[in-house]
């Protein structure tokens, strides 16, 4: 199967389907694999968040998607529907402004989701743990707490767990959930700050992928970790020159408060590697502008030490349309770029012209427990996570497919 141009299907649907009223979309595809990817593309032009009024106000509508498969294969419509719902849910979370989706709101969404899943699958299969506010500080989550402590709502680490009895492998999915990123005291300009409600796209993708994994009964243990914080400006903001004491027991000298995503993810992967016994840790984030320079607006960048994991991610990407391309993996050449005279490392690079997107991933990798010997995959979705000021839901299908195939 070749790579289907999901972006062209999405654009065609957006261009030719009216904004209001019921509609029917017919997708002519050669096989069920292409139907899967095309169906996921067709759902994206129908975002759920809209606060327009008057004649432009959203109305209730039905959009029917029909597949004509040339070779006669049956399409798993239920799987596509569950994933499409997940993609649109992630879009809605990303498009919701921080005034309506603060850290506590996101935590409540997670609690509600797990409560609903427990009703269907039981508390022995689905569970949730939340560590928030001062508890993060007391338990030495210096990254998450440091980034989020200046906001009016407390930072949080949410761990949603799915443990079906037949599962033999365990995945830890770690999402960056910066519900708004001002840049902190290294403050962004106006143009650069607009759209920073999307900086929780990694957590939105992990959240929705987790629900799809449970509802489609993927037989893997899956822990979804949401690293939630608002990078706000206030009297309690963390500062450049501060030292953060991370969950990994490593110290970080802050030299850029706008390089905050890697700090919350570092605590997330440290917790996962120390307590969840995963076969693989996957962290996903709208992490660096450098990703767009490396792999563009259509492909996420991936980083891993394992050629097997890299290939697995590329195959999952091709089958879902959430495309990826590898970054340079070279910690021995790049880690010096975080050297600090007073801490184990700084949080931002000393040379922005030296594989900056790879460096951000390696920073996170350094906080994985030294006793952890299994696999790790970093996914940077800064470019494909947004399109025309809207969240895309990128990564939901990718994480789901990786979990299914792993």
């Amino acid at each position: 199967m070749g790579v289907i141009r999901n972006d062209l299907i999405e654009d065609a649907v957006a261009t030719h389907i009216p904004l209001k009223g019921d509609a029917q979309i017919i997708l002519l595809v050669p096989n069920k694999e292409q139907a899967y990817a095309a169906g996921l593309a067709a759902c994206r032009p129908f975002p759920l968040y809209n606060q327009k009024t008057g004649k432009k106000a959203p109305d209730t509508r039905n959009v029917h998607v029909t597949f004509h498969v040339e070779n006669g294969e049956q399409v798993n419509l239920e799987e596509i529907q569950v994933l499409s719902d997940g993609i649109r849910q992630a879009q809605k979370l990303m498009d919701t402004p921080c005034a309506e989706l603060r850290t506590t709101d996101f935590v409540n969404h997670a609690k509600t989701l797990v409560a609903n899943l427990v009703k269907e699958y039981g508390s022995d299969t689905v569970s949730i743990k939340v560590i928030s506010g001062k508890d993060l500080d007391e338990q030495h989550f210096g990254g998450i707490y440091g980034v989020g402590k200046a906001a009016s709502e407390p930072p949080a680490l949410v761990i949603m767990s799915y443990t079906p009895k037949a599962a033999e492998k365990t995945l830890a999915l770690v999402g960056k959930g910066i519900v708004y990123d001002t840049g902190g005291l290294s403050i962004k300009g106006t143009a650069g700050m607009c759209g920073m409600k999307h900086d929780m796209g990694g957590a939105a993708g992990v959240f929705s992928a987790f629900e799809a994994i449970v509802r489609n009964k993927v037989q893997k243990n899956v822990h979804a970790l949401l690293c939630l914080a608002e990078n706000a400006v206030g009297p309690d903001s963390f500062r450049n020159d501060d030292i953060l004491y991370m969950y990994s027991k490593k110290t970080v000298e802050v030299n850029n408060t706008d390089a905050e995503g890697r700090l919350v993810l570092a605590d997330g992967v440290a917790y996962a590697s120390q307590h969840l016994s995963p076969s693989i840790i996957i962290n996903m984030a709208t992490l660096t502008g450098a990703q767009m320079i490396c792999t563009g607006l259509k492909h996420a960048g991936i980083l891993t030490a394992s050629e097997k994991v890299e290939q697995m991610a590329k195959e999952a990407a091709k089958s879902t349309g959430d495309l990826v391309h590898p970054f340079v993996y070279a910690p021995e050449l790049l880690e010096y770029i975080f050297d600090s005279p007073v801490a184990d490392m700084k949080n931002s690079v000393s040379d922005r012209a030296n594989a900056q997107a790879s460096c951000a991933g390696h920073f996170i990798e350094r906080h994985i427990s030294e006793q952890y010997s299994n696999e790790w995959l970093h996914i940077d979705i800064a470019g494909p996570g947004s399109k025309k000021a809207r969240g895309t839901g990128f990564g939901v299908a990718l994480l789901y497919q990786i979990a299914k195939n792993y």
Side-chain angles (χ1 to χ4, degrees):
M1 183 187 79
V3 179
I4 192 167
R5 284 294 301 274
N6 277 30
D7 58 318
L8 297 183
I9 295 173
E10 180 184 344
D11 289 344
V13 171
T15 299
H16 297 291
I17 300 299
L19 294 175
K20 291 194 174 187
D22 293 349
Q24 182 163 11
I25 300 168
I26 300 173
L27 296 172
L28 175 63
V29 290
N31 52 53
K32 65 181 181 181
E33 287 82 9
Q34 296 278 17
Y36 180 56
L40 299 180
C43 79
R44 296 182 192 271
F46 304 99
L48 293 168
Y49 187 85
N50 188 339
Q51 298 297 338
K52 291 184 178 182
T53 61
K55 292 182 179 180
K56 294 185 178 181
D59 60 357
T60 301
R61 66 188 305 201
N62 294 305
V63 178
H64 300 275
V65 179
T66 303
F67 299 92
H68 180 80
V69 184
E70 291 180 351
N71 68 1
E73 292 177 330
Q74 292 296 308
V75 177
N76 189 337
L77 298 176
E78 183 178 353
E79 182 178 39
I80 293 174
Q81 183 65 65
V82 168
L83 273 172
S84 295
D85 291 343
I87 289 168
R88 296 178 72 219
Q89 176 179 243
Q91 289 177 321
K92 182 179 181 181
L93 288 168
M94 292 183 72
D95 287 341
T96 303
C98 184
E100 300 170 28
L101 185 71
R102 296 189 177 181
T103 51
T104 47
D105 299 308
F106 209 146
V107 169
N108 288 334
H109 280 304
K111 289 179 177 178
T112 299
L113 171 61
V114 170
N116 291 334
L117 293 174
V118 165
K119 290 177 184 177
E120 296 182 52
Y121 304 100
S123 58
D124 58 337
T125 302
V126 185
S127 61
I128 187 170
K129 177 179 181 178
V130 179
I131 308 169
S132 65
K134 288 290 186 180
D135 288 341
L136 287 168
D137 187 30
E138 292 171 3
Q139 296 180 43
H140 309 295
F141 289 93
I144 300 174
Y145 184 74
V147 171
K149 63 188 175 74
S152 59
E153 298 293 328
L157 175 64
V158 177
I159 306 104
M160 302 185 294
S161 297
Y162 168 60
T163 53
K165 292 180 180 178
E168 295 182 356
K169 295 182 178 179
T170 300
L171 294 87
L173 311 179
V174 185
K176 172 188 171 183
I178 302 298
V179 295
Y180 200 76
D181 183 17
T182 65
L185 293 178
S186 304
I187 198 162
K188 297 177 184 289
T190 300
M193 200 184 300
C194 290
M196 282 299 107
K197 63 182 181 178
H198 286 175
D199 214 19
M200 36 64 71
V206 167
F207 178 88
S208 294
F210 177 81
E211 181 176 6
I213 287 164
V214 176
R215 293 199 180 281
N216 284 333
K217 300 177 182 177
V218 175
Q219 293 303 298
K220 307 286 167 51
N221 295 316
V222 178
H223 302 285
L225 291 82
L226 312 179
C227 304
L228 305 177
E230 179 184 349
N231 190 15
V233 175
D236 294 327
S237 294
F238 77 126
R239 312 163 190 82
N240 293 334
D241 294 336
D242 280 357
I243 304 293
L244 301 181
Y245 299 85
M246 309 293 287
Y247 196 78
S248 63
K249 297 184 172 59
K250 292 183 170 67
T251 55
V252 176
E253 180 188 6
V254 178
N255 62 332
N256 183 357
T257 65
D258 197 20
E260 83 299 327
R262 65 199 64 181
L263 295 170
V264 302
L265 287 173
D267 276 351
V269 300
Y271 181 90
S273 62
Q274 291 180 41
H275 301 296
L276 302 178
S277 302
S279 312
I280 185 171
I281 298 171
I282 304 172
N283 61 259
M284 187 168 75
T286 52
L287 199 64
T288 66
Q291 175 271 309
M292 290 176 269
I293 296 170
C294 289
T295 63
L297 298 176
K298 307 291 187 187
H299 294 70
I302 59 172
L303 188 73
T304 178
S306 167
E307 290 187 12
K308 182 186 78 171
V309 170
E310 184 178 285
Q311 185 60 34
M312 176 189 67
K314 289 193 287 186
E315 289 172 0
K318 289 179 180 179
S319 67
T320 61
D322 281 353
L323 301 179
V324 304
H325 194 277
F327 290 145
V328 170
Y329 183 90
E332 69 280 7
L333 300 178
L334 298 173
E335 285 185 352
Y336 81 91
I337 214 163
F338 292 107
D339 283 354
S340 164
V342 294
D344 294 323
M345 66 197 80
K346 293 184 178 181
N347 75 312
S348 190
V349 296
S350 58
D351 183 356
R352 290 182 174 272
N354 190 8
Q356 196 181 159
S358 295
C359 291
H362 286 313
F363 176 93
I364 297 164
E365 184 184 26
R366 288 176 71 177
H367 293 269
I368 295 172
S369 171
E370 293 177 2
Q371 281 68 52
Y372 177 79
S373 59
N374 291 332
E375 295 167 326
W376 168 74
L377 173 66
H378 166 70
I379 308 173
D380 190 339
I381 64 169
S386 301
K387 181 179 180 180
K388 297 180 179 179
R390 283 283 199 175
T392 63
F394 187 99
V396 176
L398 176 64
L399 292 178
Y400 169 84
Q401 196 66 34
I402 290 174
K404 185 178 174 183
N405 294 349
Y406 187 72

